[in-house]
Amino acid sequence: MKKPKTKIFWMILGIIVVLFVTSFSSIIDFVTDYQWFQELGYTDAFLKRLTTEFAIGVPLFIVLFLVLRFFMLGIKHQYYKIVEIQEDEKKDTGIRRGIFWVSILVSFMMSTNFASRLWFTFLKFVNSTNFDIKDPIFNNDLALYIFRVPFLREVVGTIISLLFLLAFITLVFYLLLLGLRRPDPGSEFDVYNYQNSAELVKVLNRKLFSKILKQVAFLGLLIFSLIGINYILKSYDLLLSTRGKVFGAGYTDIHVELFIFRALTVASFVSAIGIFVGVLKKNKKLALSGPIAMIGLILIGGIANIVIQKLVVVPNEIVKERPYLEYNINYTQKAFNLDMVNEFQFPVEQKITKEALDKNHETVNNIRINDYRPVDKIYNQLQTLRPYYAFNGVDIDRYVIDGEYRQVFLAARELNQEKLDARAQTWINKHLKYTHGYGLALSPVNMVTREGQPELLVKNLPPITSTDLKIDRPEVYFGEMTNDYIITNTDEKEIDYAIADGSAETIYEGEAGISLGGLNKLLFAIKEGSSDLLFSGAVNSDSKILKYRNIKERVMKIAPFIMYDEDPYLVINQEDGKLYWIIDGYTSSERYPYSQPYKNTRLNYIRNSVKVVVDAYNGKTKFYIYDESDPVIETYSKIFPELFSAKADMPAGLTEHVRYPRLLFDVQAEMYRVYHLDDYNALYNKEDLWDIAREKYMENEEEVSSNYVMFKLPEENEAEFLLNIPYTPSGNNVMTGLLVARNDGENYGQLMLYRFPKDKTVLGPMLVENRIDQSSEISQQLTLWSQKGSTVLRGNTLVVPIDQSLMYVQPIYLKSDNDTSIPEVRRVIVLYENDLVMEESLDKALSKIFGKKLDQAKDDFKDSTDLITGDLDDDVKSIIKRANQLFEEAEDALKESDWASYGEKMDQLKTILKQLNTEDEIENIEE
């Protein structure tokens, strides 16, 4: 017969084997992922969840185990005492083991569930950072509602569940004991002492029931006390109420619902005492009066809410809800950073001159006549160069190229393994040879070829450029389409890029990857479910495996608690000639008091707090805090101190290309439609609400999308890279304002609203579309093209501010009616004041509009000089003749769109006119 210790040993060994077999894949995942995080230098971030779960789960397990075990042992002891049963080692061994294993099982399930579900909520609770903003009702810092209340609610709920479980165990375990251990012979409850078994059962039930009631009474005391605490926490949720006119607690919530919650809190504590005392004294009325009163309060509260809302609030709603409307405006603006919007008046003077165009040449030279969606198609048709390359969307950015600040489109040429020929879809090709994309395409937003296609400044394989752009490391090992693992430094060389007579080959020289030496080869073969990886002769001890190469998957695996933008963008770092990806990361909340949620979501607080940079060659991933004022990211940085870097640590070559994200800007623009209002009356009456302007884009009518543009702000001296969107009054197409976000240098993140005068008709994009449709010359031409086997597509209608004036530009695309055709820019429409022209290029359109104005100015100039030159001497006549000549040369330069020459001629003309400043009549000429 086996000794007890031997039995225990084999039992423990069996449990370990079962756990190992059932958790084998989890163990492999843990070991391989640990090495991956170690490669990136984020082991603490990887282990944080595990260590936190242990820190929560182990003590919780011990506490639960002790509570459950001693609770059930106490029930057993009380049962034995009541029915006069003597302890019997042999008979009680099974019961004690049952108690032990039930305690183990229940404690393990509850502790693991709690720890795995709430580990991050716990960390936010412990590391919470104050907002230094207090709510207007309870006067608490907002951190209480965003970081602390959620965890406290979970803790209270878990304890209440445990107490109900203990109440259930009390009833069930007494019944089990009644069946497992009968009274001993000769005891008071020996069956032979009673005339029949029914009498025995009656006596037993009376004594047991009395004991059970006492235990349940104690549990009831605890349960109702916790329900009272839960009502205190629940009252805070009134700040997120949706009952009133706007989001947040309204008049009824504060004067009725809050009163009911406070009454229920008191009633809960009174009920707890009443239940305990009532059960002990066997006073049913006392025990039940508290819970019945609570039910009554709930019913009265429901009725009172309806009555007060309809009879008190609705008839005088604007007066009753005034403070809450003001709270809603104030806290919504804070939550979405709308209180940081600086408003300016834009007079729309419409005084654009040739001199103004010359002074704003950076703006004019960066007017976008291409659109990223057609450009994406063109890149993929003309610049993939091999079937297995692809461009996954086009990004827009700005670069200093040959000394000129220019706005450009660019996209990485990535490897798309799914497009490899079916016969080439071998394990070696997919994981050892076709490993990366190569290079990029880049084109200015304002330049097209004669065929209407983007003028490429960076193109082909290997990438070539006639500019001073530096691209020393064009390989793309990490990107948006790199969805599978690869192995580098094998006996097989990698395909670097395609050439005319084959492929150029390479060996990876980067730092990324986990060594496949030793046991790792087996571990990763199991992880990937690949026998080829294990038995391939090309994989040696120097080989490395590169995993999680998709940049979105990569950052999500490292920091899943951050919300990431769906549109990462490519950057060429001119400091080192390497390619990088920048991904915008957001912190958000659904619990910001009185803040109106965005559209149909629950999100009512958002910040673009993180910029993530991923090296396209080495895969190195860095998280930079870009909004140090955000308490949420500050809390995260306390939790993961090694994960985040300061904004100042980002290399200058990348900082120059940081963009204000469209996702955040679009959310803010949508909220600002209403919350530009500061007056509660206007909010209540829905006065002066705005809409995002509409336009005809491609073949559909839709809201104008936010656009990255480049122009010079009225109060600045140089053009900037900006993000903007136009507003119109609700139900109207007249433009009322332009929301702008700045991107460059120290001005990054500044939001500005340019309000247009209400006493002028400022055309919105849709009115511009109507003007185009009403132009017989333009509309006839567009109709003619549509009837000749082509589809006319309209690009974005761009609002171009120049000084204190506005000009509108829209590119026109033609696309043949077949599936393989690509849209081509064929015309550019320009509208300024009453002049509407459509020409082959932007330069010609500008020349046509402003050339006509120059002709008028020239005629006026000649008329003035003819009136006075008859009385002047020959020297002065010579000067005036030279002025006339310069004026004509300036006109010719303008017609050729030679803005630099035009500016030079005008400067010379100014100098000559100053020589004539001695005569009053000549001064009139200068004017």
Side-chain angles (χ1 to χ4, degrees):
M1 185 174 179
K2 292 183 179 180
K3 296 179 180 179
K5 289 186 178 179
T6 306
K7 287 182 177 180
I8 293 172
F9 169 79
W10 285 109
M11 184 181 297
I12 293 173
L13 182 62
I15 291 171
I16 292 173
V17 170
V18 170
L19 288 174
F20 180 80
V21 171
T22 55
S23 305
F24 182 70
S25 62
S26 298
I27 294 170
I28 295 294
D29 288 343
F30 177 82
V31 174
T32 54
D33 282 350
Y34 175 80
Q35 293 187 69
W36 184 75
F37 274 86
Q38 187 179 44
E39 174 209 345
L40 292 172
Y42 294 139
T43 52
D44 286 350
F46 174 71
L47 295 174
K48 180 65 72 173
R49 174 170 184 168
L50 183 66
T51 56
T52 305
E53 287 186 8
F54 268 97
I56 299 172
V58 171
L60 182 59
F61 170 80
I62 293 172
V63 170
L64 288 174
F65 171 75
L66 293 175
V67 168
L68 287 168
R69 186 166 185 268
F70 284 109
F71 185 79
M72 286 190 283
L73 286 174
I75 291 174
K76 172 178 167 291
H77 175 72
Q78 291 296 329
Y79 174 78
Y80 280 21
K81 184 178 179 180
I82 291 171
V83 299
E84 300 178 7
I85 295 177
Q86 298 296 320
E87 293 281 347
D88 187 309
E89 183 68 25
K90 184 177 180 180
K91 291 182 178 179
D92 291 341
T93 298
I95 294 175
R96 285 197 298 270
R97 284 179 180 173
I99 290 173
F100 176 83
W101 287 110
V102 168
S103 300
I104 287 283
L105 180 62
V106 174
S107 300
F108 179 77
M109 291 174 61
M110 290 190 69
S111 60
T112 53
N113 175 268
F114 185 88
S116 62
R117 187 166 50 87
L118 296 174
W119 70 275
F120 193 56
T121 307
F122 169 75
L123 287 175
K124 288 189 289 184
F125 174 83
V126 173
N127 296 279
S128 61
T129 303
N130 282 347
F131 279 68
D132 294 328
I133 300 172
K134 294 186 176 182
D135 76 275
I137 304 301
F138 303 106
N139 201 35
N140 294 316
D141 190 274
L142 302 192
L144 174 67
Y145 312 111
I146 292 174
F147 297 126
R148 299 177 192 131
V149 167
F151 181 71
L152 293 174
R153 289 283 295 271
E154 291 287 351
V155 169
V156 171
T158 300
I159 296 174
I160 291 175
S161 299
L162 174 63
L163 293 174
F164 275 111
L165 175 64
L166 293 178
F168 175 77
I169 288 174
T170 300
L171 296 173
V172 172
F173 196 41
Y174 270 117
L175 292 174
L176 286 174
L177 287 172
L178 193 60
L180 293 172
R181 290 300 309 270
R182 293 288 184 178
D184 294 331
S187 70
E188 178 187 352
F189 294 99
D190 187 350
V191 68
Y192 295 108
N193 295 335
Y194 296 88
Q195 295 181 357
N196 55 63
S197 57
E199 185 180 354
L200 172 62
V201 170
K202 186 177 180 181
V203 174
L204 272 174
N205 285 347
R206 185 174 66 250
K207 290 206 170 189
L208 287 176
F209 185 69
S210 176
K211 191 62 183 179
I212 290 172
L213 279 181
K214 289 179 180 179
Q215 289 180 316
V216 170
F218 178 70
L219 294 174
L221 172 69
L222 297 178
I223 288 172
F224 273 86
S225 297
L226 288 168
I227 288 174
I229 295 173
N230 196 49
Y231 272 116
I232 295 174
L233 298 175
K234 195 174 180 182
S235 66
Y236 293 144
D237 288 343
L238 290 177
L239 299 174
L240 310 174
S241 172
T242 58
R243 183 201 311 273
K245 188 71 176 177
V246 291
F247 188 84
Y251 182 90
T252 303
D253 293 305
I254 298 303
H255 292 84
V256 179
E257 192 76 355
L258 181 57
F259 174 80
I260 294 297
F261 280 161
R262 286 172 174 170
L264 285 168
T265 300
V266 174
S268 297
F269 292 126
V270 172
S271 297
I273 298 171
I275 288 172
F276 185 71
V277 175
V279 171
L280 291 180
K281 294 188 175 183
K282 298 181 181 179
N283 187 332
K284 293 181 181 179
K285 290 183 178 180
L286 180 60
L288 296 176
S289 59
I292 292 173
M294 290 179 66
I295 294 172
L297 278 172
I298 293 171
L299 293 174
I300 291 170
I303 296 170
N305 282 327
I306 296 171
V307 171
I308 296 298
Q309 185 68 26
K310 287 189 175 182
L311 300 184
V312 177
V313 177
V314 173
N316 200 19
E317 194 169 36
I318 193 166
V319 174
K320 297 295 184 182
E321 299 286 11
R322 172 180 176 174
Y324 314 109
L325 290 166
E326 291 175 340
Y327 298 153
N328 178 258
I329 292 172
N330 183 25
Y331 285 84
T332 301
Q333 290 179 347
K334 289 181 185 297
F336 291 96
N337 254 356
L338 304 181
D339 57 333
M340 304 303 290
V341 177
N342 294 311
E343 293 195 4
F344 299 89
Q345 294 298 321
F346 194 97
V348 193
E349 296 173 346
Q350 298 305 80
K351 292 182 179 180
I352 298 179
T353 62
K354 290 184 173 57
E355 185 176 8
L357 290 177
D358 181 59
K359 187 175 68 173
N360 291 272
H361 67 277
E362 281 187 312
T363 299
V364 175
N365 290 343
N366 284 285
I367 293 175
R368 179 161 57 82
I369 58 171
N370 273 312
D371 188 87
Y372 70 93
R373 278 168 271 197
V375 169
D376 182 27
K377 295 179 180 179
I378 293 169
Y379 279 10
N380 272 295
Q381 290 210 22
L382 303 181
Q383 275 295 303
T384 51
L385 305 178
R386 288 292 186 273
Y388 45 81
Y389 289 132
F391 294 93
N392 188 51
V394 171
D395 302 317
I396 188 166
D397 204 347
R398 72 285 199 194
Y399 288 82
V400 177
I401 302 175
D402 296 332
E404 186 178 350
Y405 197 39
R406 306 188 70 175
Q407 189 176 4
V408 300
F409 292 116
L410 72 163
R413 185 183 291 103
E414 296 196 61
L415 177 68
N416 186 350
Q417 292 184 339
E418 295 179 359
K419 291 188 176 181
L420 285 170
D421 186 272
R423 292 166 296 180
Q425 297 269 357
T426 64
W427 183 85
I428 288 179
N429 277 345
K430 292 181 68 175
H431 299 286
L432 274 60
K433 296 194 73 66
Y434 290 90
T435 57
H436 59 279
Y438 202 90
L440 69 149
L442 182 147
S443 59
V445 300
N446 67 320
M447 295 176 63
V448 294
T449 64
R450 290 184 177 180
E451 293 76 26
Q453 298 167 0
E455 184 74 50
L456 290 163
L457 298 184
V458 179
K459 58 185 177 181
N460 298 347
L461 283 167
I464 59 172
T465 178
S466 58
T467 69
D468 60 355
L469 285 172
K470 182 172 71 170
I471 307 171
D472 297 333
R473 182 57 78 182
E475 299 94 331
V476 182
Y477 279 85
F478 298 85
E480 297 181 87
M481 304 180 73
T482 47
N483 296 320
D484 213 340
Y485 74 91
I486 60 167
I487 302 173
T488 59
N489 304 104
T490 67
D491 294 340
E492 292 281 347
K493 287 189 175 182
E494 303 170 49
I495 305 296
D496 204 18
Y497 58 89
I499 54 179
D501 55 351
S503 300
E505 295 184 324
T506 190
I507 295 176
Y508 181 65
E509 299 174 353
E511 302 169 357
I514 303 168
S515 172
L516 289 176
L519 187 61
N520 273 359
K521 189 174 182 180
L522 174 61
L523 289 175
F524 281 97
I526 297 171
K527 167 78 173 178
E528 302 301 334
S530 172
S531 59
D532 293 306
L533 193 160
L534 183 62
F535 297 111
S536 173
V539 179
N540 55 57
S541 59
D542 294 326
S543 299
K544 290 183 176 182
I545 184 169
L546 278 63
K547 286 184 56 59
Y548 306 118
R549 297 190 304 132
N550 185 297
I551 56 175
K552 295 179 186 177
E553 178 188 17
R554 191 176 189 83
V555 297
M556 181 61 73
K557 188 165 186 67
I558 297 170
F561 46 86
I562 293 174
M563 181 175 72
Y564 296 100
D565 202 298
E566 287 296 315
D567 184 28
Y569 60 98
L570 185 72
V571 170
I572 311 168
N573 185 349
Q574 290 301 284
E575 290 185 325
D576 59 15
K578 293 176 65 177
L579 303 181
Y580 294 85
W581 298 94
I582 296 181
I583 308 173
D584 286 291
Y586 306 93
T587 54
S588 62
S589 177
E590 301 171 353
R591 298 187 56 81
Y592 199 97
Y594 277 106
S595 174
Q596 193 75 25
Y598 168 69
K599 282 191 172 179
N600 296 320
T601 70
R602 295 176 61 187
L603 181 147
N604 69 349
Y605 172 87
I606 187 170
R607 293 290 186 273
N608 174 218
S609 298
V610 179
K611 303 287 186 182
V612 189
V613 175
V614 183
D615 188 325
Y617 187 69
N618 284 315
K620 187 176 181 180
T621 306
K622 297 284 287 182
F623 294 76
Y624 296 97
I625 294 178
Y626 238 75
D627 187 349
E628 295 172 348
S629 65
D630 175 30
V632 180
I633 199 62
E634 189 174 344
T635 298
Y636 292 171
S637 67
K638 291 178 186 177
I639 298 171
F640 304 101
E642 70 160 9
L643 182 60
F644 297 101
S645 300
K647 173 183 176 180
D649 294 337
M650 181 183 285
L654 297 175
T655 303
E656 293 170 356
H657 297 283
V658 166
R659 303 185 320 192
Y660 197 86
R662 288 182 62 182
L663 186 150
L664 175 61
F665 184 75
D666 290 344
V667 169
Q668 291 174 314
E670 174 63 28
M671 298 305 296
Y672 202 65
R673 290 176 51 250
V674 176
Y675 288 93
H676 65 277
L677 299 171
D678 291 318
D679 179 59
Y680 75 95
N681 267 303
L683 178 63
Y684 179 83
N685 293 313
K686 305 297 183 185
E687 296 174 3
D688 195 26
L689 300 187
W690 296 345
D691 288 334
I692 304 296
R694 300 186 67 80
E695 66 176 349
K696 292 182 179 178
Y697 179 74
M698 296 294 144
E699 298 178 272
N700 304 309
E701 180 184 327
E702 59 186 47
E703 278 190 355
V704 173
S705 59
S706 54
N707 282 298
Y708 288 105
V709 294
M710 191 176 285
F711 61 81
K712 185 168 65 176
L713 297 172
E715 62 276 7
E716 300 296 334
N717 297 320
E718 296 180 351
E720 299 180 34
F721 186 63
L722 305 162
L723 181 60
N724 73 355
I725 198 164
Y727 287 117
T728 61
S730 182
N732 199 323
N733 288 318
V734 174
M735 196 157 56
T736 190
L738 192 69
L739 185 65
V740 176
R742 303 177 78 173
N743 290 268
D744 292 347
E746 295 180 356
N747 297 319
Y748 173 85
Q750 291 182 10
L751 294 176
M752 313 171 79
L753 178 78
Y754 289 97
R755 281 185 178 267
F756 301 136
K758 293 184 177 180
D759 58 350
K760 292 183 181 179
T761 300
V762 181
L763 301 182
M766 202 63 202
L767 289 178
V768 174
E769 303 283 5
N770 294 340
R771 286 282 299 275
I772 293 171
D773 291 338
Q774 290 166 8
S775 169
S776 58
E777 181 180 348
I778 294 176
S779 60
Q780 286 177 9
Q781 183 63 61
L782 299 182
T783 302
L784 182 62
W785 281 329
S786 299
Q787 294 172 348
K788 292 187 175 181
S790 297
T791 301
V792 175
L793 305 175
R794 296 189 181 189
N796 291 129
T797 301
L798 300 178
V799 180
V800 184
I802 295 181
D803 291 341
Q804 299 286 352
S805 304
L806 295 177
M807 181 170 64
Y808 304 87
V809 177
Q810 183 185 90
I812 298 295
Y813 297 85
L814 286 188
K815 179 179 176 293
S816 299
D817 292 337
N818 61 71
D819 295 336
T820 59
S821 67
I822 54 180
E824 297 175 344
V825 179
R826 285 304 181 189
R827 293 292 185 271
V828 178
I829 296 175
V830 175
L831 172 64
Y832 173 67
E833 290 188 301
N834 293 319
D835 293 305
L836 176 67
V837 300
M838 182 173 72
E839 292 295 327
E840 295 177 358
S841 68
L842 176 62
D843 290 343
K844 288 183 178 180
L846 292 176
S847 296
K848 187 169 183 178
I849 289 179
F850 294 101
K852 182 175 73 173
K853 294 185 180 296
L854 181 64
D855 289 337
Q856 182 61 47
K858 177 182 174 183
D859 291 340
D860 294 342
F861 182 83
K862 285 185 175 181
D863 291 342
S864 300
T865 56
D866 288 342
L867 290 174
I868 62 173
T869 51
D871 297 328
L872 299 176
D873 58 36
D874 292 339
D875 289 337
V876 176
K877 289 181 179 180
S878 175
I879 293 173
I880 293 176
K881 183 177 180 181
R882 175 57 180 157
N884 254 320
Q885 181 182 352
L886 285 170
F887 197 81
E888 291 175 353
E889 289 174 358
E891 178 194 21
D892 293 338
L894 182 64
K895 290 180 178 179
E896 295 297 324
S897 301
D898 186 352
W899 301 105
S901 179
Y902 167 74
E904 181 183 342
K905 300 297 182 185
M906 291 302 290
D907 287 339
Q908 293 177 20
L909 180 57
K910 285 180 183 179
T911 302
I912 290 176
L913 291 175
K914 286 179 181 178
Q915 297 176 24
L916 301 176
N917 201 30
T918 57
E919 297 288 339
D920 293 339
E921 296 88 348
I922 305 303
E923 289 177 6
N924 293 331
I925 298 175
E926 184 178 1
E927 293 174 1

